[in-house]
Each structure stands twice: as structure tokens, then as C-alpha cells.
Amino acid sequence: MRQLTSFSVIVVLAIASNALGGDPIKHRLMVAEYGKGPNRLVELDADGKLVSEYKFPSIAVIFDVLPDGHVVYAFGGDPTGVAEIDRDKKTVWRYVSKCQQVLGCERLPNGNTLIGEQGPCQAVEVDPDGKVVRTTKLTTTEKGYHLQVRNLHKLANGNILAAHEGEGAVREVDPQGAVVWEYKNVTNSGDARRLANGNTLVSCGTQKRIIEVTPKGEIVWEFGAKDAPELNLTWISSLQILKNGNYLVGNFLRGQEGKGAHAFEVTRDKRVVWKFANHDLLKSIATVRVLDDK
């Protein structure tokens, strides 16, 4: 297991500071590294020190951290599907899909797992025994399976909100697969989150911005490269809505390795109050999650 150098730790601590002064903001993190670095799951403590790592068995870019510390992740390759590992990195649950590739998943409150299948593009919900309890067709114009769908989330109304990276679109579909809402022209969108006010937060990928759009498709909030040039926004790849109302954003530094921030926390008034960059340890990350959000 690779350890951080003392210089790297100093860098992490120096940039993880509260923009208003006072005690520095610290976060425990879990990230999925993908790109020029190894494809692995990495956990860091609040001081930026490496706690553990897990090498994915095949391509994996999206994971979900469970309350008990287990991690559910989607994996491509042959076979493809979803696996759950415990704190000792032992596989405790596995579902093998019959589609071409799975890269998106989410554990639901009822214990079932929502899976984003590609080729064909559909959302499949399976129970803890691996039985398919619902299949919902997802709509996309993307023909190649690899980019058909990334993150997907089951909403409180039972509908599914999915990010279609290849097409650059976000769609909400009902349980029968009918499109009830969509927002397009968001290049390489990897995630979208429904906010409490009914609007939708969208990661706009290589457009280097995050937007909040109303049900009518109006942009009412935006944070982009011009708001914080020092971050070197390259590819907005993941979103997490923190309990304090701030947004935790993953910045996939593909082609820009070694520059800017891997992740940052931004407020509604566009203040970057925390950022993480350790280019000695990580090259580029596809998904980042704060583990200490209370």
C-alpha cells in the first residue's frame, strides 16, 4: 500500500481550509480512481492519509457507500454487474448482469439495488437474493453501449432520474419507461440530483460547469470554470449534496493530470470552502464521496 509523502500531506491540509477562516474543514473521502492511474477504490482519512485501497476486478467508475461501511460498485468486463464488499474488502454480495456493460448502481432504502444496464439501456432493480423485481426501459439516442447511462437514482415518486453521458442528456422516466422530464445539451453528463425544491442539479461534464434547472428547463444557478479558475475544472464527473446544503463535486482531470483540484466543496453563493488535490497519490478520479457528512 502506497503511503503519502510528508509534502503531500502538507499540500492536502493547506488547501482543505475554511474560506471564512477559523478551523480548517476536513473530510474523510472515498474515491474511484480511473484514467492514467490504477482503477481502484481509495479511502483517505481527514488528514489526507491513505487508509485503504481496493483494486477493482475490471472497469469501475461509480460506487455507493452504505451506512455500515460496505461499498456497492458496478463493474464492466466479462462478466459485468454489481458487487458489494465489506470493510475487509471481501465480496459479500454479487449480481451478474446479462447486458453488455454495467457502470452505474445505487443501493435503495428498501435493500434492493438499482442497476444501470447498457446494451440494452435500462434500469434494473434486484432484491438481496439477486431476483429482478422491476425492469424499466431508459431512453437515449446513444447506440454504442459504453456511454448509454452513468449515475441513476430512484426518486421519491418512484421514477428514475438517469444521466446519459454519450448523448449528453438527463431524463426522468416513470416505472413504465415513459419520459416525464428531460434536459439536454449537457456534454458528458455523468450525474444529476433532484433537489428538495423540485429543481435538478446537473453535472455538465466537459462543459466544466454544474447547473440547477427548473422543471421548465430554466437555469437558475450555475457554477463554472470562470468562478474558480484555480480548480482547473476539466470534467465534472460526480455530485454529492451534503447535509449542510453545500455540494461536493468530483473533477475528473482526464488529460489535465497534475493540475488543479480532484474534488471541492462549494456553497450556494459560489464560495469554494474546501478542496482536495494530491497528485502524487491520485491521477484522476471518476467519483468522490465524503464519508463524514453529519
Side-chain angles (χ1 to χ4, degrees):
M1 183 177 294
R2 183 183 177 187
Q3 297 296 322
L4 290 172
T5 65
S6 58
F7 172 77
S8 299
V9 174
I10 292 171
V11 170
V12 173
L13 292 177
I15 62 178
S17 58
N18 190 326
L20 294 179
D23 295 334
I25 294 174
K26 294 184 179 183
H27 286 310
R28 293 172 49 237
L29 298 178
M30 185 168 285
V31 307
E33 184 174 20
Y34 176 76
K36 288 189 175 180
N39 191 196
R40 58 179 178 160
L41 187 71
V42 176
E43 182 178 346
L44 303 172
D45 69 14
D47 292 322
K49 295 180 180 179
L50 185 64
V51 174
S52 66
E53 62 181 346
Y54 170 79
K55 185 177 181 181
F56 292 120
S58 55
I59 179 175
V61 294
I62 294 170
F63 63 89
D64 193 12
V65 183
L66 307 183
D68 61 2
H70 290 198
V71 175
V72 175
Y73 67 89
F75 57 92
D78 185 14
T80 186
V82 176
E84 178 183 344
I85 56 174
D86 63 16
R87 293 292 298 171
D88 295 323
K89 306 301 184 293
K90 295 180 180 178
T91 300
V92 297
W93 183 82
R94 194 168 187 256
Y95 173 81
V96 174
S97 172
K98 296 179 181 180
C99 72
Q100 293 291 318
Q101 188 180 66
V102 175
L103 289 180
C105 66
E106 177 183 68
R107 177 60 52 84
L108 302 177
N110 65 2
N112 292 348
T113 304
L114 187 65
I115 299 170
E117 294 193 334
Q118 305 185 119
C121 188
Q122 57 189 15
V124 176
E125 184 176 335
V126 301
D127 66 16
D129 293 325
K131 179 183 177 182
V132 175
V133 297
R134 182 185 298 276
T135 299
T136 304
K137 178 183 177 182
L138 299 177
T139 297
T140 181
T141 60
E142 182 70 19
K143 301 302 182 183
Y145 66 84
H146 177 60
L147 295 174
Q148 287 183 341
V149 63
R150 286 296 179 264
N151 278 283
L152 71 171
H153 308 286
K154 190 169 186 179
L155 304 178
N157 61 8
N159 292 351
I160 293 171
L161 183 66
H164 301 281
E165 184 177 310
E167 183 184 354
V170 171
R171 291 191 176 91
E172 177 185 348
V173 300
D174 67 17
Q176 288 71 48
V179 177
V180 299
W181 183 83
E182 66 178 4
Y183 190 85
K184 299 188 288 186
N185 301 315
V186 283
T187 311
N188 299 118
S189 180
D191 201 1
R193 300 279 181 159
R194 182 60 46 79
L195 301 175
N197 62 7
N199 293 345
T200 304
L201 192 69
V202 180
S203 69
C204 297
T206 50
Q207 290 179 353
K208 306 178 182 182
R209 61 179 184 147
I210 313 145
I211 58 175
E212 178 185 340
V213 296
T214 68
K216 294 183 178 180
E218 301 168 334
I219 298 176
V220 294
W221 184 87
E222 179 176 348
F223 181 88
K226 65 181 182 299
D227 295 306
E230 71 279 6
L231 296 175
N232 186 32
L233 295 188
T234 301
W235 188 321
I236 305 300
S237 57
S238 69
L239 298 171
Q240 182 180 357
I241 301 172
L242 302 180
K243 292 181 180 179
N244 61 10
N246 295 348
Y247 303 140
L248 188 283
V249 183
N251 182 29
F252 182 42
L253 294 171
R254 190 168 206 169
Q256 290 288 309
E257 293 87 356
K259 308 172 186 176
H262 292 296
F264 61 94
E265 179 183 346
V266 62
T267 67
R268 289 288 302 175
D269 58 357
K270 301 186 180 183
R271 290 182 297 110
V272 176
V273 296
W274 172 91
K275 56 185 176 180
F276 170 77
N278 187 325
H279 303 293
D280 291 332
L281 178 65
L282 300 162
K283 300 303 180 184
S284 56
I285 60 175
T287 300
V288 57
R289 295 286 179 258
V290 162
L291 300 178
D292 53 2
D293 189 26
K294 299 178 180 179

